Amino acid sequence: MAKLNITDVELSNKKVLMRVDFNVPLDKQQNITDDTRIKETLSSIKYLLDKKCSLVLCAHLGRPKGKPVPEMSLKPCAAHLAKLTGVKVQMAPDCIGAETKKMADALNPGEILLLENLRFHPEEEKNDPNFAKELSSMAEVFVQDAFGTVHRAHASTEGVTKYLPAYAGFLLKKEIDYLGKAVENPDKPFVAILGGAKISGKIDVISNLLNKVDTLIVGGAMTYTFLKAQGLSIGNSLVEDDRLDMAKEVLAKAKEKKITFLLPIDHLIADKVEAGAKSEIVMENIPAGMIGVDIGPKTIALFTEAIKRAKTIVWNGPMGVFEINDFAKGTIAIANALAEATATGATTIIGGGDSVAAVAKAGVTSKISHISTGGGASLEFLEGKVLPGIAALKDK
Ligand code: AMP
C-alpha cells in the first residue's frame, strides 16, 4: 500500500515531530566521524523549514539500554546539524518531561529542537503507550524519516502514530520506492546477490527472493554450506552444519522454480584468515586445512556476466573477507560490476553495512542507484515482511 509523504499533505506552519536517524559514530572526544546519516535527512528538514514548520526532531544514538549515558547524548548532532543547516538547533534536556515540553511549545516556525536520546528511556523500545503519547503531545503531525528503525515497533516508530497523523519523509520515501519496486514489480531480469557470513541470517530473504528473481547469486561464507550440502569438500571454511538441510531445500526450490542459482566455481583459499596468509586459487574442492576467503577470478567473470544482463540488481553481503585487502578482490569486483550496470541503465540497490562499506572501498558509491540506509530494515523489506514503522503511516 502506498503511503502519504510530506509533499502529499499541507504542512505549512505545522509543528512537526520527526523521527530521524542520527545514530552516528562518535570518537572518544565526541566528534562525529561519519555524518552521512545526518546529511541524508537534510532534504526533509530543509523542506519542512521552508514550509515554516517548527521541527521537533527525535532520534536514538547507540545502545544506552534505557538509562541516560552521557557519551550517548545527541548534543554533538545538534551542533553538527546547526552547522549543516545554518539554523540554530536547540537541545532539549530529555525527550519527554515538563522542561522539554515547554521548549517544544515555545518553538517558532522555522526553528529546530532536538530531543535527547529516546533510548535513555526503556519505554521507547517497549513501545509504551504513555511514553508515545507524551512524545506526540509535542507536535501536530509526525514524519518518519529514519528507515533504519522502521522494522521495529517502538514508541517513536509506531506508538506515536496512534496519536498523530504520520507521513513519510523524503529519505523513507526513497527507500520504499526502490525496495518496494524491487520486491513487487522489478524490471527483469532481476538478479539478487547475497553474501556474508551466515545462511541463517539470510534464509528468509533467500526464500522470499526465490519467488521473485530470475537469478540468485550466492557468495561469501554462505557458499561453503551450499557446497558441503552438494557433497563438495570445503576444508576449514566457515560452515553451518546445522543448515545443510536448509541449503539443500533452497537448491531444490531454485531448481523447481527454474531459477538460475549461481554459486562460486573457483575460490581464493588461505591457510589463515589474516593479511599476508599463504593463498591460492582452486576450483571446486577446497583441500583439507585451507579456508575459502573470497571468490576466484572465474567466479568474478561468471557473476559479472549475470549482472551485465540484469535490469534490476539487489546486493546484500560481501563475497569474501573483504575487510582484509588480500581477500577483497571479489567484493570490489562486484561493486564495480554494479556501478557499470547502473551506467548502462540497470537499477542497482545495495543494503547492509558491509556491502555499503565495500562500495565505498571501491569508490563507486555515487554510481549506485540506491544505497539503503538501514541494514536490518532493508533485509526485512526483502524478506517481504510488514515493517511496523511503515505500515503505521497514512495510506495514500
Ligand atoms: P553478514 O553480516 O552476514 O553480511 O556477514 C558479513 C561478514 O561476512 C563480513 O565481516 C565478512 O568478513 C564475512 N565473510 C564473508 N565471506 C567470508 C568467508 N569466506 N569466510 C569468513 N567470513 C566471511
Side-chain angles (χ1 to χ4, degrees):
M1 178 72 78
K3 296 294 175 180
L4 290 175
N5 69 71
I6 50 179
T7 61
D8 293 324
V9 284
E10 182 49 75
L11 292 176
S12 298
N13 286 297
K14 292 265 194 257
K15 190 158 280 185
V16 176
L17 175 69
M18 179 152 104
R19 177 65 160 101
V20 289
D21 186 352
F22 282 180
N23 191 18
V24 291
L26 298 172
D27 66 13
K28 286 206 171 70
Q29 285 75 42
Q30 299 282 292
N31 297 306
I32 297 169
T33 55
D34 180 354
D35 67 349
T36 310
R37 286 178 166 163
I38 300 180
K39 281 188 176 149
E40 261 163 342
T41 203
L42 284 179
S43 63
S44 292
I45 291 176
K46 285 183 179 155
Y47 175 84
L48 293 170
L49 289 177
D50 283 346
K51 290 261 163 202
K52 297 275 173 283
C53 294
S54 23
L55 273 186
V56 180
L57 303 180
C58 61
H60 79 276
L61 196 152
R63 292 190 178 142
K65 299 195 176 129
K67 54 178 186 338
V69 177
E71 303 78 58
M72 294 180 195
S73 166
L74 282 163
K75 275 182 203 143
C77 296
H80 195 67
L81 181 62
K83 219 185 282 172
L84 292 174
T85 55
V87 175
K88 188 178 159 211
V89 178
Q90 300 176 55
M91 184 69 213
D94 197 350
C95 59
I96 51 165
E99 206 177 323
T100 301
K101 174 84 165 80
K102 214 159 104 188
M103 289 176 86
D105 287 347
L107 210 59
N108 291 309
E111 291 184 347
I112 305 176
L113 172 70
L114 175 59
L115 305 185
E116 187 52 283
N117 196 333
L118 292 159
R119 294 195 186 168
F120 284 178
H121 293 264
E123 294 89 345
E124 157 66 359
E125 288 175 87
K126 285 186 189 141
N127 197 6
D128 178 86
N130 290 325
F131 179 80
K133 199 170 178 184
E134 212 176 329
L135 272 180
S136 38
S137 74
M138 278 178 270
E140 298 163 273
V141 297
F142 174 68
V143 173
Q144 174 57 271
D145 215 25
F147 178 67
T149 66
V150 293
H151 56 314
R152 307 271 179 250
H154 290 168
S156 71
T157 64
E158 200 264 347
V160 289
T161 68
K162 302 226 163 74
Y163 307 100
L164 293 175
Y167 310 106
F170 293 131
L171 180 58
L172 184 66
K173 178 184 181 315
K174 185 167 177 252
E175 296 276 5
I176 298 175
D177 287 350
Y178 273 98
L179 292 165
K181 178 151 170 52
V183 292
E184 279 156 28
N185 180 28
D187 292 331
K188 298 249 178 181
F190 178 18
V191 173
I193 309 162
L194 296 171
K198 291 182 170 175
I199 293 190
S200 45
K202 304 229 165 107
I203 186 64
D204 292 338
V205 181
I206 295 176
S207 299
N208 191 41
L209 289 182
L210 278 177
N211 299 315
K212 324 241 172 210
V213 296
D214 303 289
T215 300
L216 187 68
I217 294 178
V218 166
M222 273 201 281
T223 304
Y224 313 110
T225 305
F226 281 104
L227 295 186
K228 189 167 179 180
Q230 290 175 310
L232 294 164
S233 46
I234 56 158
N236 275 358
S237 306
L238 208 62
V239 66
E240 288 174 278
D241 279 315
D242 57 341
R243 304 288 164 165
L244 292 171
D245 287 341
M246 198 179 253
K248 280 182 198 153
E249 277 165 33
V250 168
L251 290 165
K253 192 169 168 197
K255 204 167 176 186
E256 178 198 314
K257 291 193 173 283
K258 300 196 170 54
I259 285 163
T260 308
F261 192 96
L262 296 179
L263 280 163
I265 49 171
D266 61 346
H267 315 275
L268 178 69
I269 59 168
D271 58 346
K272 288 185 220 110
V273 185
E274 274 174 22
K278 212 173 86 193
S279 66
E280 62 177 308
I281 301 288
V282 294
M283 305 295 294
E284 281 204 329
N285 286 301
I286 297 175
M290 298 297 277
I291 306 160
V293 289
D294 195 8
I295 55 176
K298 290 200 163 57
T299 305
I300 291 176
L302 176 75
F303 289 1
T304 304
E305 268 312 303
I307 291 167
K308 265 190 197 153
R309 286 193 298 270
K311 282 274 170 294
T312 305
I313 305 150
V314 168
W315 178 28
N316 183 302
M319 297 291 103
V321 189
F322 80 109
E323 296 92 336
I324 299 173
N325 285 338
D326 299 346
F327 311 147
K329 217 183 234 170
T331 304
I332 300 284
I334 296 302
N336 285 322
L338 257 69
E340 277 164 34
T342 321
T344 54
T347 300
T348 50
I349 302 170
I350 295 184
D354 286 317
S355 324
V356 177
V359 170
K361 199 165 174 169
V364 295
T365 303
S366 64
K367 295 181 177 156
I368 302 299
S369 315
H370 179 64
I371 298 200
S372 179
T373 51
S378 67
L379 271 182
E380 290 198 20
F381 207 118
L382 297 175
E383 284 166 15
K385 283 196 182 138
V386 171
L387 308 187
I390 294 179
L393 302 177
K394 287 237 176 267
D395 292 326
K396 251 195 183 157

